[in-house]
Amino acid sequence: MNAPEKKKLKVATTSLAGCFGCHMSFLDIDERLFDLVELVEFDRSPLTDIKHAGKCDIGLIEGGLCNAENVHVLREFRQQCDILIAVGACAINGGLPAQRNPLSLPMILEEVYHTSPGLHNGLIPNDPELPLPLDKVHPIHEVVKVDYFMPGCPPSGDTIWKVLTDLLAGKEPNLPHELLHYD
Amino acid sequence: MSKTFTLDGKEIPFEDGQTVIQAALDAGAYIPHLCHHPEFPPSGSCKLCTVKIDGRQTASCTRRAEAGMTVESDTQELNDERRSLTQMLFVEGNHFCPSCEKSGDCQLQATAYQLHMLTPHYDHFFPNRPVDASHPDYLLEFNRCILCSLCVRASRDVDGKNVFALGGRGIGTHLTVNAASHRLADTDFSADDMAAKVCPVGVILKKRVGFAVPIGQRTFDKKPAADYVDSRLPAKED
Ligand code: SF4
Ligand code: SF4
Ligand code: FES
């Protein structure tokens, strides 16, 4: 009989109003990824083909909330993940995309799809397939409870590695001063 | 023999008339602060320098040192409160450090690192105060102002120009420029002013010099805020 395999932790990741930079930073842990896949199994993630998150131990969220679909995905992650982590400046405070907040949404859409030079009589997309943008960009903690925050734009590979390895060791994640930055 | 008080159990010498924070910083002991500046009388607005003296909380930048007093500063309780104050400052403004040219040289940011702030926590205000880029050499990004009044004090008391003021009330309080047009270009503000160098955050910015210092060599890349007890960014030579 085979010895029972050590149960791997399940990790899901997603990018909401993100730039995928936090995921790239995650990949920056480089060959440590080989160690990681021994310890964790990836559920829903831009790196897998899984369409909806199953029950997971850890959910990593990059990006703030800029449209209705972001909110649905975030709620799915909160429901399925025991520990939800806001990764990067956008998930934490809306990030640079939130610089649109002082501008009115109709004005932005007008400008981008209608009046900007070269768009002769452009139309604002209105297919119901498309998620409606939110009036403002929001940090994720304004919609669901977040268990841990990993700042940085993006957090470094070392930062992500530190938090994950702390969690895998069953410890409260703890970032030392040199891994803490917002830029 | 000079007089002393104790700060977190350490003897701190002081001269008559010095405030608690002045004596502490002179002795190389860090007390978090944003609106305190060694060359100006206190303002007492940021409240980060709050300490416990003989069991009561008080701002160490407004409290004169007395012989034999017992001051607590580096305690979990006070640091938790300081972190909350710092979080409030972050959500009141638009502190998008990833695109701010003061990042790495900013006292608010460095203090937040020092206090281990992982998130601004509260809901954001997202204020909308238009940038004043009227002046040929300087711009004002009002959405990052922490109302420390250092530029007001520098312009009035050192430069003798009175270029800046804090106007409005409550959450509407904001930095304003003392000209009928409220435009910096319509004042006698100049690059030689102390007010041009004193802002601890990214509000009063010299044009065309941003992002000149490589990451890793910025002020607080090299030293955490606690080791930077001189309290102020070195006046940047142009
Ligand atoms: S002023 Fe400081 S805290 Fe604010 S955005 Fe700039 S670097 Fe960040
Ligand atoms: S502009 Fe800078 S120096 Fe002036 S009050 Fe605001 S934060 Fe302080
Ligand atoms: S430094 Fe004392 S209140 Fe700001």
Side-chain angles (χ1 to χ4, degrees):
Chain A
M1 234 174 76
N2 294 334
E5 261 195 54
K6 195 164 172 266
K7 200 174 155 285
K8 289 183 175 181
L9 288 187
K10 280 210 169 177
V11 177
T13 79
T14 189
S15 177
L16 305 175
C19 72
F20 276 93
C22 292
H23 277 83
M24 294 309 293
S25 217
F26 188 6
L27 300 183
D28 271 344
I29 66 174
D30 296 329
E31 63 270 33
R32 286 171 287 184
L33 276 167
F34 294 112
D35 302 331
L36 191 66
V37 291
E38 297 298 321
L39 301 169
V40 309
E41 188 184 327
F42 283 93
D43 196 276
R44 174 177 174 168
S45 164
L47 311 169
T48 69
D49 230 353
I50 301 169
K51 305 296 180 218
H52 285 283
K55 272 285 164 212
C56 286
D57 299 286
I58 301 171
L60 301 173
I61 312 280
E62 146 191 338
L65 300 162
C66 84
N67 67 32
E69 198 231 353
N70 294 156
V71 178
H72 289 300
V73 174
L74 178 63
R75 290 206 166 119
E76 172 182 311
F77 268 70
R78 179 66 280 182
Q79 211 163 35
Q80 299 289 31
C81 303
D82 289 343
I83 299 172
L84 200 67
I85 306 181
V87 185
C90 299
I92 288 174
N93 71 0
L96 299 188
Q99 289 180 117
R100 84 155 154 90
N101 286 359
L103 307 171
S104 89
L105 184 60
M107 197 200 91
I108 297 170
L109 293 172
E110 270 290 303
E111 169 96 23
V112 172
Y113 289 108
H114 213 174
T115 57
S116 70
L119 281 180
H120 181 65
N121 273 340
L123 289 176
I124 295 171
N126 66 352
D127 192 296
E129 275 282 299
L130 299 171
L132 283 171
L134 303 176
D135 182 32
K136 306 269 179 246
V137 177
H138 294 273
I140 65 171
H141 79 261
E142 290 186 14
V143 171
V144 298
K145 181 183 187 303
V146 176
D147 301 298
Y148 199 74
F149 299 85
M150 223 193 278
C153 186
S156 66
D158 288 341
T159 301
I160 297 173
W161 179 249
K162 175 74 169 71
V163 170
L164 284 178
T165 47
D166 279 354
L167 284 171
L168 289 168
K171 288 191 292 195
E172 172 82 15
N174 185 23
L175 286 178
H177 190 271
E178 63 273 17
L179 290 182
L180 189 57
H181 63 91
Y182 307 150
D183 57 358
Chain B
M1 240 198 64
S2 71
K3 300 179 188 172
T4 65
F5 60 88
T6 65
L7 171 65
D8 296 327
K10 202 177 128 188
E11 291 284 312
I12 308 283
F14 69 93
E15 283 157 32
D16 279 331
Q18 272 196 312
T19 58
V20 170
I21 201 170
Q22 280 171 337
L25 294 177
D26 284 355
Y30 174 69
I31 297 176
H33 58 277
L34 291 170
C35 66
H36 165 77
H37 185 296
E39 290 168 44
F40 294 104
S43 141
S45 62
C46 76
K47 292 289 170 273
L48 253 73
C49 71
T50 300
V51 293
K52 241 186 196 178
I53 297 178
D54 299 327
R56 293 187 70 161
Q57 288 198 359
T58 182
S60 63
C61 70
T62 55
R63 178 66 189 262
R64 286 209 199 288
E66 284 167 35
M69 60 176 28
T70 308
V71 184
E72 289 171 79
S73 171
D74 192 14
T75 66
Q76 162 122 28
E77 178 196 5
L78 288 166
N79 285 328
D80 285 350
E81 289 179 9
R82 289 172 179 139
R83 195 179 317 105
S84 300
L85 290 167
T86 309
Q87 289 170 321
M88 290 178 202
L89 290 172
F90 268 80
V91 300
E92 278 174 24
N94 292 334
H95 294 283
F96 300 119
C97 303
S99 67
C100 178
E101 59 195 80
K102 205 67 184 267
S103 193
D105 289 315
C106 169
Q107 249 204 328
L108 174 64
Q109 184 192 59
T111 304
Y113 294 159
Q114 189 67 47
L115 295 167
H116 205 76
M117 183 188 102
L118 296 177
T119 162
H121 177 78
Y122 302 108
D123 287 1
H124 281 73
F125 284 64
F126 293 122
N128 180 16
R129 304 199 172 104
V131 166
D132 176 355
S134 62
H135 193 278
D137 301 320
Y138 277 81
L139 65 87
L140 303 174
E141 171 33 306
F142 296 101
N143 299 302
R144 298 179 187 140
C145 178
I146 57 171
L147 307 175
C148 69
S149 85
L150 278 168
C151 60
V152 178
R153 288 178 271 167
S155 185
R156 182 190 59 211
D157 304 341
V158 180
D159 307 328
K161 292 188 176 178
N162 239 337
V163 170
F164 298 104
L166 298 183
R169 282 175 188 275
I171 190 62
T173 308
H174 60 280
L175 179 72
T176 165
V177 172
N178 276 326
S181 63
H182 295 303
R183 283 159 32 106
L184 192 62
D186 299 327
T187 69
D188 51 356
F189 177 85
S190 85
D192 311 319
D193 292 355
M194 181 154 192
K197 302 187 175 79
V198 82
C199 181
V201 295
V203 182
I204 305 175
L205 296 168
K206 193 167 173 16
K207 287 183 176 176
R208 298 176 291 274
V209 294
F211 307 108
V213 181
I215 289 175
Q217 291 171 35
R218 302 169 303 182
T219 311
F220 296 110
D221 293 337
K222 294 185 285 188
K223 268 186 184 176
D227 295 344
Y228 199 82
V229 290
D230 188 19
S231 108
R232 196 68 5 202
L233 307 179
K236 278 202 194 130
E237 297 315 323
D238 303 328

